[in-house]
PDB file of all heavy atoms in Angstrom:
ATOM      1  N   THR A 278      -7.948  11.820 -21.808  1.00  0.00           N
ATOM      2  CA  THR A 278      -9.213  11.478 -21.168  1.00  0.00           C
ATOM      3  C   THR A 278      -9.392  12.138 -19.796  1.00  0.00           C
ATOM      4  O   THR A 278     -10.323  11.802 -19.077  1.00  0.00           O
ATOM      5  CB  THR A 278      -9.345   9.952 -21.007  1.00  0.00           C
ATOM      6  OG1 THR A 278      -8.223   9.460 -20.251  1.00  0.00           O
ATOM      7  CG2 THR A 278      -9.374   9.270 -22.367  1.00  0.00           C
ATOM      8  N   SER A 279      -8.510  13.070 -19.450  1.00  0.00           N
ATOM      9  CA  SER A 279      -8.667  13.812 -18.197  1.00  0.00           C
ATOM     10  C   SER A 279      -7.899  15.124 -18.304  1.00  0.00           C
ATOM     11  O   SER A 279      -7.030  15.287 -19.166  1.00  0.00           O
ATOM     12  CB  SER A 279      -8.150  13.005 -17.007  1.00  0.00           C
ATOM     13  OG  SER A 279      -6.740  12.887 -17.064  1.00  0.00           O
ATOM     14  N   HIS A 280      -8.208  16.060 -17.389  1.00  0.00           N
ATOM     15  CA  HIS A 280      -7.460  17.315 -17.338  1.00  0.00           C
ATOM     16  C   HIS A 280      -5.978  17.047 -17.093  1.00  0.00           C
ATOM     17  O   HIS A 280      -5.110  17.643 -17.740  1.00  0.00           O
ATOM     18  CB  HIS A 280      -7.999  18.207 -16.205  1.00  0.00           C
ATOM     19  CG  HIS A 280      -9.399  18.688 -16.396  1.00  0.00           C
ATOM     20  ND1 HIS A 280      -9.721  19.702 -17.269  1.00  0.00           N
ATOM     21  CD2 HIS A 280     -10.556  18.320 -15.813  1.00  0.00           C
ATOM     22  CE1 HIS A 280     -11.024  19.925 -17.218  1.00  0.00           C
ATOM     23  NE2 HIS A 280     -11.552  19.088 -16.348  1.00  0.00           N
ATOM     24  N   MET A 281      -5.689  16.148 -16.144  1.00  0.00           N
ATOM     25  CA  MET A 281      -4.296  15.885 -15.790  1.00  0.00           C
ATOM     26  C   MET A 281      -3.529  15.277 -16.958  1.00  0.00           C
ATOM     27  O   MET A 281      -2.378  15.655 -17.224  1.00  0.00           O
ATOM     28  CB  MET A 281      -4.239  14.951 -14.579  1.00  0.00           C
ATOM     29  CG  MET A 281      -2.821  14.636 -14.110  1.00  0.00           C
ATOM     30  SD  MET A 281      -1.869  16.122 -13.665  1.00  0.00           S
ATOM     31  CE  MET A 281      -2.645  16.542 -12.102  1.00  0.00           C
ATOM     32  N   GLN A 282      -4.129  14.332 -17.659  1.00  0.00           N
ATOM     33  CA  GLN A 282      -3.450  13.742 -18.807  1.00  0.00           C
ATOM     34  C   GLN A 282      -3.199  14.786 -19.887  1.00  0.00           C
ATOM     35  O   GLN A 282      -2.134  14.808 -20.501  1.00  0.00           O
ATOM     36  CB  GLN A 282      -4.256  12.580 -19.380  1.00  0.00           C
ATOM     37  CG  GLN A 282      -3.522  11.847 -20.502  1.00  0.00           C
ATOM     38  CD  GLN A 282      -4.348  10.755 -21.155  1.00  0.00           C
ATOM     39  OE1 GLN A 282      -5.555  10.649 -20.944  1.00  0.00           O
ATOM     40  NE2 GLN A 282      -3.717   9.932 -21.959  1.00  0.00           N
ATOM     41  N   ALA A 283      -4.169  15.661 -20.106  1.00  0.00           N
ATOM     42  CA  ALA A 283      -4.002  16.716 -21.115  1.00  0.00           C
ATOM     43  C   ALA A 283      -2.849  17.636 -20.748  1.00  0.00           C
ATOM     44  O   ALA A 283      -2.006  17.980 -21.587  1.00  0.00           O
ATOM     45  CB  ALA A 283      -5.301  17.508 -21.248  1.00  0.00           C
ATOM     46  N   ALA A 284      -2.788  18.036 -19.482  1.00  0.00           N
ATOM     47  CA  ALA A 284      -1.714  18.919 -19.030  1.00  0.00           C
ATOM     48  C   ALA A 284      -0.360  18.230 -19.149  1.00  0.00           C
ATOM     49  O   ALA A 284       0.637  18.844 -19.580  1.00  0.00           O
ATOM     50  CB  ALA A 284      -1.972  19.350 -17.590  1.00  0.00           C
ATOM     51  N   ALA A 285      -0.311  16.952 -18.787  1.00  0.00           N
ATOM     52  CA  ALA A 285       0.944  16.202 -18.853  1.00  0.00           C
ATOM     53  C   ALA A 285       1.419  16.044 -20.292  1.00  0.00           C
ATOM     54  O   ALA A 285       2.626  16.109 -20.567  1.00  0.00           O
ATOM     55  CB  ALA A 285       0.764  14.839 -18.202  1.00  0.00           C
ATOM     56  N   MET A 286       0.497  15.841 -21.213  1.00  0.00           N
ATOM     57  CA  MET A 286       0.876  15.691 -22.613  1.00  0.00           C
ATOM     58  C   MET A 286       1.473  16.978 -23.165  1.00  0.00           C
ATOM     59  O   MET A 286       2.452  16.954 -23.921  1.00  0.00           O
ATOM     60  CB  MET A 286      -0.334  15.248 -23.441  1.00  0.00           C
ATOM     61  CG  MET A 286      -0.739  13.799 -23.189  1.00  0.00           C
ATOM     62  SD  MET A 286      -2.230  13.279 -24.093  1.00  0.00           S
ATOM     63  CE  MET A 286      -1.629  13.291 -25.797  1.00  0.00           C
ATOM     64  N   VAL A 287       0.913  18.121 -22.781  1.00  0.00           N
ATOM     65  CA  VAL A 287       1.488  19.408 -23.203  1.00  0.00           C
ATOM     66  C   VAL A 287       2.866  19.577 -22.574  1.00  0.00           C
ATOM     67  O   VAL A 287       3.824  20.011 -23.231  1.00  0.00           O
ATOM     68  CB  VAL A 287       0.562  20.576 -22.828  1.00  0.00           C
ATOM     69  CG1 VAL A 287       1.249  21.913 -23.106  1.00  0.00           C
ATOM     70  CG2 VAL A 287      -0.751  20.480 -23.599  1.00  0.00           C
ATOM     71  N   ALA A 288       3.005  19.219 -21.293  1.00  0.00           N
ATOM     72  CA  ALA A 288       4.281  19.348 -20.600  1.00  0.00           C
ATOM     73  C   ALA A 288       5.360  18.496 -21.254  1.00  0.00           C
ATOM     74  O   ALA A 288       6.531  18.893 -21.300  1.00  0.00           O
ATOM     75  CB  ALA A 288       4.114  18.962 -19.137  1.00  0.00           C
ATOM     76  N   ARG A 289       4.956  17.311 -21.763  1.00  0.00           N
ATOM     77  CA  ARG A 289       5.927  16.396 -22.390  1.00  0.00           C
ATOM     78  C   ARG A 289       6.208  16.737 -23.854  1.00  0.00           C
ATOM     79  O   ARG A 289       7.036  16.093 -24.488  1.00  0.00           O
ATOM     80  CB  ARG A 289       5.410  14.956 -22.303  1.00  0.00           C
ATOM     81  CG  ARG A 289       5.363  14.371 -20.908  1.00  0.00           C
ATOM     82  CD  ARG A 289       5.208  12.850 -20.969  1.00  0.00           C
ATOM     83  NE  ARG A 289       4.003  12.470 -21.701  1.00  0.00           N
ATOM     84  CZ  ARG A 289       2.841  12.185 -21.135  1.00  0.00           C
ATOM     85  NH1 ARG A 289       2.726  12.245 -19.817  1.00  0.00           N
ATOM     86  NH2 ARG A 289       1.797  11.839 -21.858  1.00  0.00           N
ATOM     87  N   GLY A 290       5.500  17.709 -24.398  1.00  0.00           N
ATOM     88  CA  GLY A 290       5.713  18.069 -25.790  1.00  0.00           C
ATOM     89  C   GLY A 290       4.893  17.261 -26.768  1.00  0.00           C
ATOM     90  O   GLY A 290       5.163  17.281 -27.975  1.00  0.00           O
ATOM     91  N   ASN A 291       3.879  16.537 -26.272  1.00  0.00           N
ATOM     92  CA  ASN A 291       2.999  15.779 -27.171  1.00  0.00           C
ATOM     93  C   ASN A 291       1.928  16.664 -27.803  1.00  0.00           C
ATOM     94  O   ASN A 291       1.076  16.170 -28.545  1.00  0.00           O
ATOM     95  CB  ASN A 291       2.319  14.642 -26.402  1.00  0.00           C
ATOM     96  CG  ASN A 291       3.306  13.650 -25.824  1.00  0.00           C
ATOM     97  OD1 ASN A 291       3.277  13.351 -24.643  1.00  0.00           O
ATOM     98  ND2 ASN A 291       4.219  13.154 -26.654  1.00  0.00           N
ATOM     99  N   GLY A 292       1.970  17.922 -27.512  1.00  0.00           N
ATOM    100  CA  GLY A 292       1.058  18.901 -28.090  1.00  0.00           C
ATOM    101  C   GLY A 292       1.462  20.274 -27.612  1.00  0.00           C
ATOM    102  O   GLY A 292       2.221  20.422 -26.632  1.00  0.00           O
ATOM    103  N   ASP A 293       0.983  21.299 -28.315  1.00  0.00           N
ATOM    104  CA  ASP A 293       1.318  22.677 -27.943  1.00  0.00           C
ATOM    105  C   ASP A 293       0.301  23.292 -27.000  1.00  0.00           C
ATOM    106  O   ASP A 293       0.623  24.225 -26.252  1.00  0.00           O
ATOM    107  CB  ASP A 293       1.399  23.557 -29.208  1.00  0.00           C
ATOM    108  CG  ASP A 293       2.442  23.070 -30.183  1.00  0.00           C
ATOM    109  OD1 ASP A 293       3.595  22.872 -29.766  1.00  0.00           O
ATOM    110  OD2 ASP A 293       2.097  22.880 -31.378  1.00  0.00           O
ATOM    111  N   VAL A 294      -0.930  22.775 -27.039  1.00  0.00           N
ATOM    112  CA  VAL A 294      -2.005  23.432 -26.292  1.00  0.00           C
ATOM    113  C   VAL A 294      -3.122  22.432 -26.009  1.00  0.00           C
ATOM    114  O   VAL A 294      -3.352  21.493 -26.768  1.00  0.00           O
ATOM    115  CB  VAL A 294      -2.554  24.640 -27.092  1.00  0.00           C
ATOM    116  CG1 VAL A 294      -3.103  24.191 -28.444  1.00  0.00           C
ATOM    117  CG2 VAL A 294      -3.612  25.403 -26.314  1.00  0.00           C
ATOM    118  N   SER A 295      -3.790  22.637 -24.885  1.00  0.00           N
ATOM    119  CA  SER A 295      -4.986  21.884 -24.563  1.00  0.00           C
ATOM    120  C   SER A 295      -5.884  22.776 -23.721  1.00  0.00           C
ATOM    121  O   SER A 295      -5.521  23.906 -23.394  1.00  0.00           O
ATOM    122  CB  SER A 295      -4.648  20.584 -23.818  1.00  0.00           C
ATOM    123  OG  SER A 295      -5.797  19.759 -23.702  1.00  0.00           O
ATOM    124  N   LEU A 296      -7.059  22.281 -23.385  1.00  0.00           N
ATOM    125  CA  LEU A 296      -7.983  23.022 -22.543  1.00  0.00           C
ATOM    126  C   LEU A 296      -8.242  22.236 -21.268  1.00  0.00           C
ATOM    127  O   LEU A 296      -8.329  21.010 -21.293  1.00  0.00           O
ATOM    128  CB  LEU A 296      -9.317  23.266 -23.261  1.00  0.00           C
ATOM    129  CG  LEU A 296      -9.355  24.385 -24.309  1.00  0.00           C
ATOM    130  CD1 LEU A 296      -8.781  23.889 -25.625  1.00  0.00           C
ATOM    131  CD2 LEU A 296     -10.785  24.871 -24.518  1.00  0.00           C
ATOM    132  N   GLY A 297      -8.377  22.952 -20.145  1.00  0.00           N
ATOM    133  CA  GLY A 297      -8.642  22.279 -18.888  1.00  0.00           C
ATOM    134  C   GLY A 297      -8.801  23.264 -17.755  1.00  0.00           C
ATOM    135  O   GLY A 297      -8.858  24.479 -17.960  1.00  0.00           O
ATOM    136  N   SER A 298      -8.849  22.744 -16.544  1.00  0.00           N
ATOM    137  CA  SER A 298      -9.122  23.568 -15.377  1.00  0.00           C
ATOM    138  C   SER A 298      -7.845  24.128 -14.774  1.00  0.00           C
ATOM    139  O   SER A 298      -6.763  23.538 -14.883  1.00  0.00           O
ATOM    140  CB  SER A 298      -9.874  22.757 -14.314  1.00  0.00           C
ATOM    141  OG  SER A 298      -9.021  21.788 -13.735  1.00  0.00           O
ATOM    142  N   GLN A 299      -7.991  25.255 -14.113  1.00  0.00           N
ATOM    143  CA  GLN A 299      -6.864  25.902 -13.441  1.00  0.00           C
ATOM    144  C   GLN A 299      -6.314  25.028 -12.317  1.00  0.00           C
ATOM    145  O   GLN A 299      -5.118  25.003 -12.070  1.00  0.00           O
ATOM    146  CB  GLN A 299      -7.304  27.252 -12.890  1.00  0.00           C
ATOM    147  CG  GLN A 299      -6.194  28.046 -12.223  1.00  0.00           C
ATOM    148  CD  GLN A 299      -6.669  29.399 -11.739  1.00  0.00           C
ATOM    149  OE1 GLN A 299      -7.812  29.792 -11.968  1.00  0.00           O
ATOM    150  NE2 GLN A 299      -5.804  30.120 -11.052  1.00  0.00           N
ATOM    151  N   ARG A 300      -7.214  24.295 -11.638  1.00  0.00           N
ATOM    152  CA  ARG A 300      -6.774  23.464 -10.509  1.00  0.00           C
ATOM    153  C   ARG A 300      -5.672  22.505 -10.915  1.00  0.00           C
ATOM    154  O   ARG A 300      -4.683  22.319 -10.198  1.00  0.00           O
ATOM    155  CB  ARG A 300      -7.955  22.679  -9.943  1.00  0.00           C
ATOM    156  CG  ARG A 300      -7.573  21.763  -8.774  1.00  0.00           C
ATOM    157  CD  ARG A 300      -8.720  20.895  -8.333  1.00  0.00           C
ATOM    158  NE  ARG A 300      -9.068  19.889  -9.316  1.00  0.00           N
ATOM    159  CZ  ARG A 300      -8.444  18.726  -9.461  1.00  0.00           C
ATOM    160  NH1 ARG A 300      -7.399  18.436  -8.695  1.00  0.00           N
ATOM    161  NH2 ARG A 300      -8.829  17.853 -10.365  1.00  0.00           N
ATOM    162  N   VAL A 301      -5.829  21.871 -12.084  1.00  0.00           N
ATOM    163  CA  VAL A 301      -4.832  20.920 -12.547  1.00  0.00           C
ATOM    164  C   VAL A 301      -3.570  21.641 -13.024  1.00  0.00           C
ATOM    165  O   VAL A 301      -2.451  21.165 -12.803  1.00  0.00           O
ATOM    166  CB  VAL A 301      -5.409  20.041 -13.670  1.00  0.00           C
ATOM    167  CG1 VAL A 301      -4.311  19.242 -14.374  1.00  0.00           C
ATOM    168  CG2 VAL A 301      -6.467  19.096 -13.103  1.00  0.00           C
ATOM    169  N   ALA A 302      -3.743  22.794 -13.646  1.00  0.00           N
ATOM    170  CA  ALA A 302      -2.600  23.523 -14.190  1.00  0.00           C
ATOM    171  C   ALA A 302      -1.570  23.860 -13.117  1.00  0.00           C
ATOM    172  O   ALA A 302      -0.360  23.800 -13.358  1.00  0.00           O
ATOM    173  CB  ALA A 302      -3.073  24.801 -14.887  1.00  0.00           C
ATOM    174  N   VAL A 303      -2.030  24.206 -11.917  1.00  0.00           N
ATOM    175  CA  VAL A 303      -1.087  24.575 -10.853  1.00  0.00           C
ATOM    176  C   VAL A 303      -0.291  23.375 -10.359  1.00  0.00           C
ATOM    177  O   VAL A 303       0.735  23.536  -9.687  1.00  0.00           O
ATOM    178  CB  VAL A 303      -1.818  25.246  -9.671  1.00  0.00           C
ATOM    179  CG1 VAL A 303      -2.529  26.506 -10.121  1.00  0.00           C
ATOM    180  CG2 VAL A 303      -2.812  24.290  -9.006  1.00  0.00           C
ATOM    181  N   GLN A 304      -0.736  22.170 -10.702  1.00  0.00           N
ATOM    182  CA  GLN A 304      -0.023  20.961 -10.297  1.00  0.00           C
ATOM    183  C   GLN A 304       1.027  20.537 -11.314  1.00  0.00           C
ATOM    184  O   GLN A 304       1.782  19.586 -11.061  1.00  0.00           O
ATOM    185  CB  GLN A 304      -1.022  19.817 -10.087  1.00  0.00           C
ATOM    186  CG  GLN A 304      -2.076  20.098  -9.021  1.00  0.00           C
ATOM    187  CD  GLN A 304      -3.085  18.964  -8.928  1.00  0.00           C
ATOM    188  OE1 GLN A 304      -2.732  17.798  -8.745  1.00  0.00           O
ATOM    189  NE2 GLN A 304      -4.354  19.285  -9.061  1.00  0.00           N
ATOM    190  N   VAL A 305       1.055  21.211 -12.454  1.00  0.00           N
ATOM    191  CA  VAL A 305       2.011  20.859 -13.520  1.00  0.00           C
ATOM    192  C   VAL A 305       2.840  22.102 -13.834  1.00  0.00           C
ATOM    193  O   VAL A 305       2.481  22.903 -14.694  1.00  0.00           O
ATOM    194  CB  VAL A 305       1.271  20.362 -14.784  1.00  0.00           C
ATOM    195  CG1 VAL A 305       2.263  19.872 -15.831  1.00  0.00           C
ATOM    196  CG2 VAL A 305       0.291  19.246 -14.438  1.00  0.00           C
ATOM    197  N   PRO A 306       3.958  22.284 -13.136  1.00  0.00           N
ATOM    198  CA  PRO A 306       4.740  23.523 -13.294  1.00  0.00           C
ATOM    199  C   PRO A 306       5.370  23.701 -14.668  1.00  0.00           C
ATOM    200  O   PRO A 306       5.808  24.808 -15.003  1.00  0.00           O
ATOM    201  CB  PRO A 306       5.816  23.388 -12.200  1.00  0.00           C
ATOM    202  CG  PRO A 306       5.903  21.918 -11.909  1.00  0.00           C
ATOM    203  CD  PRO A 306       4.529  21.385 -12.128  1.00  0.00           C
ATOM    204  N   GLU A 307       5.386  22.641 -15.474  1.00  0.00           N
ATOM    205  CA  GLU A 307       6.033  22.736 -16.795  1.00  0.00           C
ATOM    206  C   GLU A 307       5.133  23.391 -17.835  1.00  0.00           C
ATOM    207  O   GLU A 307       5.531  23.517 -18.998  1.00  0.00           O
ATOM    208  CB  GLU A 307       6.442  21.345 -17.287  1.00  0.00           C
ATOM    209  CG  GLU A 307       7.456  20.632 -16.414  1.00  0.00           C
ATOM    210  CD  GLU A 307       6.825  19.890 -15.240  1.00  0.00           C
ATOM    211  OE1 GLU A 307       5.586  19.911 -15.121  1.00  0.00           O
ATOM    212  OE2 GLU A 307       7.576  19.296 -14.446  1.00  0.00           O
ATOM    213  N   ILE A 308       3.928  23.803 -17.463  1.00  0.00           N
ATOM    214  CA  ILE A 308       3.038  24.466 -18.412  1.00  0.00           C
ATOM    215  C   ILE A 308       2.595  25.813 -17.864  1.00  0.00           C
ATOM    216  O   ILE A 308       2.743  26.093 -16.670  1.00  0.00           O
ATOM    217  CB  ILE A 308       1.782  23.615 -18.715  1.00  0.00           C
ATOM    218  CG1 ILE A 308       0.919  23.454 -17.446  1.00  0.00           C
ATOM    219  CG2 ILE A 308       2.170  22.264 -19.296  1.00  0.00           C
ATOM    220  CD1 ILE A 308      -0.430  22.807 -17.697  1.00  0.00           C
ATOM    221  N   ASP A 309       2.059  26.656 -18.743  1.00  0.00           N
ATOM    222  CA  ASP A 309       1.416  27.909 -18.352  1.00  0.00           C
ATOM    223  C   ASP A 309      -0.083  27.767 -18.564  1.00  0.00           C
ATOM    224  O   ASP A 309      -0.534  26.961 -19.389  1.00  0.00           O
ATOM    225  CB  ASP A 309       1.949  29.093 -19.171  1.00  0.00           C
ATOM    226  CG  ASP A 309       3.358  29.508 -18.735  1.00  0.00           C
ATOM    227  OD1 ASP A 309       3.725  29.194 -17.576  1.00  0.00           O
ATOM    228  OD2 ASP A 309       4.075  30.117 -19.547  1.00  0.00           O
ATOM    229  N   PHE A 310      -0.837  28.560 -17.841  1.00  0.00           N
ATOM    230  CA  PHE A 310      -2.298  28.522 -17.918  1.00  0.00           C
ATOM    231  C   PHE A 310      -2.808  29.886 -18.372  1.00  0.00           C
ATOM    232  O   PHE A 310      -2.461  30.911 -17.793  1.00  0.00           O
ATOM    233  CB  PHE A 310      -2.885  28.171 -16.550  1.00  0.00           C
ATOM    234  CG  PHE A 310      -4.393  28.108 -16.524  1.00  0.00           C
ATOM    235  CD1 PHE A 310      -5.066  27.032 -17.088  1.00  0.00           C
ATOM    236  CD2 PHE A 310      -5.132  29.125 -15.938  1.00  0.00           C
ATOM    237  CE1 PHE A 310      -6.454  26.969 -17.065  1.00  0.00           C
ATOM    238  CE2 PHE A 310      -6.516  29.066 -15.896  1.00  0.00           C
ATOM    239  CZ  PHE A 310      -7.177  27.989 -16.462  1.00  0.00           C
TER     240      PHE A 310
END
């Protein structure tokens, strides 16, 4: 339900890919954008 939750779920392995903003991606080092 948010960019941050989507990024965190990918980081935790709950999915392989999601869509979202670059701003949030830089806050989650465990993913690539």
Side-chain angles (χ1 to χ4, degrees):
T278 57
S279 69
H280 294 284
M281 181 58 74
Q282 185 184 12
M286 288 177 68
V287 173
R289 292 195 302 264
N291 299 127
D293 300 308
V294 60
S295 189
L296 282 81
S298 70
Q299 183 178 356
R300 179 186 69 82
V301 168
V303 300
Q304 300 176 55
V305 186
E307 298 84 1
I308 65 172
D309 286 337
F310 180 75

